[in-house]
Amino acid sequence: MKVLELDDIHVTHHRRGQSDVRAVRGVSLSVAPGQVVGLVGESGCGKSSLARVAVGLDAPTSGEVRFEGAPLAPSRLTARAKSALGLQMVFQNPYASLSPRRTIGSQVLDGLRSPLSRAEGEVEAIRLLELVGLDPDSRRRYPNQFSGGQRQRLAIARALAARPTLMIADEPVTALDAFSSAQIVKLLTGLVRDLDMGMLFISHDLSLVRAIADETAVMYAGEIVERGPSEKLWNDPQHEYTKTLISAIPVIGPNQRKKRTAHAG
Amino acid sequence: MKPILEVDALRVSLPNVEGFTDVVKEASLTVNEGEIVGLAGESGSGKTMTSSAILGILPKGARTSGTVTFEGRDLLGLPNAELAQIRGNRISMIFQDPSAALHPLLTIGTQITEHMRHHLGVSKREATERAVKLLEQVQIVEPRKALRSYPHQFSGGMRQRAAIAIALACEPRMLIADEPTTALDVTVQDGILQLFNRLCDETGVAVLFITHDLGVLSTIADRTYVFRDGAVVESGETDDVLLRPRHDYTQALIASRAQSLAQERVAPHSQNGARK
């Protein structure tokens, strides 16, 4: 059984007085429990439009989104449909997604599907913080006392409170430095394995997706141009765009500056 | 090679509630003419504070000691009026977010030419002709049309190219680029890195290139300094630093890259050698 299925999704944005933008053109994609699917593409390729549809924020122009086998109920203005609570999200900016005015122990419980008593909540908050590798004794602190990487752990803990079967992570480490980013990648891979969650990992960074995703889909101009097991796609790309993307990633190797200069000269 | 910038035993302290915190401790570095020098390190390692000290744009109340010698003059002691003659003229700065660096209500043309007219005192017509050449140099297609465009009409990569053109407008001897490609797509980044390479070779401008991405430095930096906690922990030819790192911190930085993580995932034990 697939936990998320996107079936022939089209998204067209209408603009007053201008031609329509076909942001997503017939994308099909699925995520199984315990699987990480990476969606890679550069700015303007339509991955954010697709992500908004996948989480139920926007309805697709055509096509269907199924979550746990049933059509995904669209989100209302202030709340997600009860049936969609098992689908949780982690965003790019952990500074914007946490309230500065409430303790983290209280905020991680925002994700709960139903309220708990004070004592049960305490136990649950400790469990969640431990799950993401934070010190449970820090639960009376405020977000400003945490680093960017720790805040992203908090955002993940809050998403886990709903006991999700699917996590959609949109550029979750882009705002973090290399050490924090590496730790979050390891945390997410571990969580997917231990909790048997599905994950859709959206990023502009193919080398990052390679490090976390089992399957990778490369998106370009609204379409998926290539997909396959991450290592295979990395080592043997078929589509021209995938090749361009891989060759543009700066790698540590013999200094290329002199080489390039020599070519120029 | 002739040094254009020499930073010696630079210390920067910022005021806080308890007194002062040293954000840069004894940093020393040299940039030679026509050379691209990389500053690597994590957020908070002091690399941006070092560049701010060079330009004299530190936060209010900051204290400095040591020397920053640029073209034979110590910049640390200079009055603001004299620094203003150097900034944007002899040394230019390029920032991470080109949208924030460009004025949204002025055309690209105005933003390039006002610079030249202020520092070089050239006529409007001459400034426009130079601006066209600059936009060609940074590989913006249809430069004359671009001069009449506003920043919002440009893509991210085009904006950064425009910001680079503005930085080059007064033919500076040195560029300080602080994470100039971090906000860009990799394919766009590749073009900008090649642009830096070419500009450096063609115009002989020196570049101090600040980034946390070691792969980027491997692509363009002649020499690299690795910063940690406000001090240089390792420096040398980029190949020596990145391919044969001696310091634990440099090794840890390299191991935390996505590339290394992916390799570790494919062959989990290869890092530690055979386990049998």
Side-chain angles (χ1 to χ4, degrees), chain A residues 109 115-125:
Chain A
L109 299 180
L116 293 175
S117 73
R118 184 177 282 256
E120 287 168 330
E122 189 94 358
V123 173
E124 179 65 2

Side-chain angles (χ1 to χ4, degrees), chain A residues 13-36:
Chain A
H13 298 301
H14 301 287
R15 297 181 301 175
R16 188 189 293 247
Q18 289 179 71
S19 55
D20 289 351
V21 179
R22 292 176 59 208
V24 181
R25 310 167 178 213
V27 168
S28 299
L29 198 73
S30 65
V31 184
Q35 184 192 32
V36 182

